[in-house]
Structures are given as C-alpha cells and as structure tokens.
Amino acid sequence: MRVASISKLVVAIGVMSLVEQRTLDLDLDVSAYVGVSIRNPAFPERKITLRQLLVHTSSLRDGENYRLQLGTTLKAELADATHWDTAHGPGGYFAYANFNSVVIATVMEAATGERFDRLMRRLVLTPLKIEGCYNWATCEPSWISRAAVLYRTGPDETEWHPDGPW
C-alpha cells in the first residue's frame, strides 16, 4: 500500500521500466499522453515532463487535495489554482508536491492502457517479490492483516485535532 513518500521511489522504478521499454519518454510533454493540456497558467508556453514531475520541479503544488477524489477528473483538478506555483515555472524550482505522483500515475495508465495498481504489480512488485499493492482490493489477505494503521486524532479519525485523542 502507499507508504507515504517511499511509494514514490517504487513508482519511479515503474516509470523507468516504461522508459526502458520506450513506452514513456522522460522529456516529452505529459499532455501528449493524457490528452489534456497540463500547463501552469502563469507559464502556458512551458511544457511539463515526467522528469520534472519525478524531481518535483513541475510547478505543481498539492493545493486543497493531492488525490483525485472519486468522480473527479485530472482536468478538473488541474483547473484548481491552488495546484500551481504562479511565481515559478516548470523546470527550475524544486518544491515537494505529492500531486506530481497523481499526474505520473495518470500518465502511466494512459500510456499503457493498464490500471495503475495492476501495472505497478506487473512491472515492479511481482518481479521484485515485494509483498505490497496499490489498491486494497488487490492485496492478498495476509498482507492486509499486517497493514499498519495511520492514526489521526478526532472523533471519526478523519481530521487532525491537536487536543484530540489518538
């Protein structure tokens, strides 16, 4: 399962596998893969590449969400101004953003026609004998039983409350 930023390393291995297969190109405009223009509105002439997404120089930011909620499209999420650094264009300024991984996964799916979790299992997890998954529905029951719980405070454990119980 996603293990915070460690998962990004595993995704990078999957990306590089597809680069080796010539399915992906690190320096191609990612818009070409997904059929949606992915541009920082303050720098519309500058493309965004997988290389930039992988090294956090894409000018994307996490904004309110860094996940695509069920029923939300990448295009709609990218229209949210909070996802863009309008002071720094793509390619030169490092700023860590989890949302880069959302775009990378979408590019991987578009380029292969394969669902991200299944693609990662085929490309990385199974060959490296990693007992893990990117979707609870495809996890082995024995793996689920060993999963760690992410704890939050609050009455329903969905919000952070500094004075709440663990």
Side-chain angles (χ1 to χ4, degrees):
M1 281 309 290
R2 294 184 308 266
V3 188
S5 295
I6 295 169
S7 299
K8 292 176 181 68
L9 169 64
V10 180
V11 171
I13 294 168
V15 167
M16 294 312 293
S17 177
L18 293 172
V19 168
E20 285 180 345
Q21 296 171 24
R22 293 184 165 43
T23 303
L24 293 177
D25 181 324
L26 290 175
D27 298 310
L28 186 68
D29 182 345
V30 293
S31 300
Y33 293 108
V34 296
V36 171
S37 179
I38 300 177
R39 290 285 193 276
N40 182 324
F43 301 89
E45 74 290 348
R46 291 171 67 179
K47 69 181 180 181
I48 293 176
T49 67
L50 275 170
R51 185 182 307 273
Q52 293 165 348
L53 292 164
L54 287 165
V55 300
H56 301 276
T57 61
S58 67
S59 77
L60 278 167
R61 300 294 169 264
D62 286 338
E64 295 293 319
N65 280 312
Y66 62 83
R67 297 173 291 168
L68 287 182
Q69 302 297 326
L70 188 60
T72 304
T73 65
L74 180 62
K75 182 178 182 178
E77 198 63 38
L78 290 169
D80 179 351
T82 64
H83 280 301
W84 297 105
D85 179 349
T86 56
H88 303 96
Y93 184 80
F94 173 86
Y96 191 86
N98 293 297
F99 195 63
N100 286 315
S101 295
V102 172
V103 178
I104 292 168
T106 304
V107 167
M108 292 172 77
E109 287 182 336
T112 63
E114 221 173 321
R115 199 172 77 189
F116 176 74
D117 60 314
R118 293 176 179 163
L119 179 63
M120 289 301 296
R121 179 172 276 186
R122 179 176 64 79
L123 291 176
V124 182
L125 302 176
T126 298
L128 294 179
K129 296 180 174 65
I130 295 173
E131 293 182 357
C133 54
Y134 278 86
N135 181 343
W136 285 114
T138 62
C139 283
E140 296 294 328
S142 64
W143 304 347
I144 294 171
S145 70
R146 296 190 323 256
V149 177
L150 296 176
Y151 290 99
R152 296 183 178 167
T153 64
D156 61 1
E157 296 189 10
T158 60
E159 296 179 30
W160 174 259
H161 296 283
D163 57 343
W166 285 96

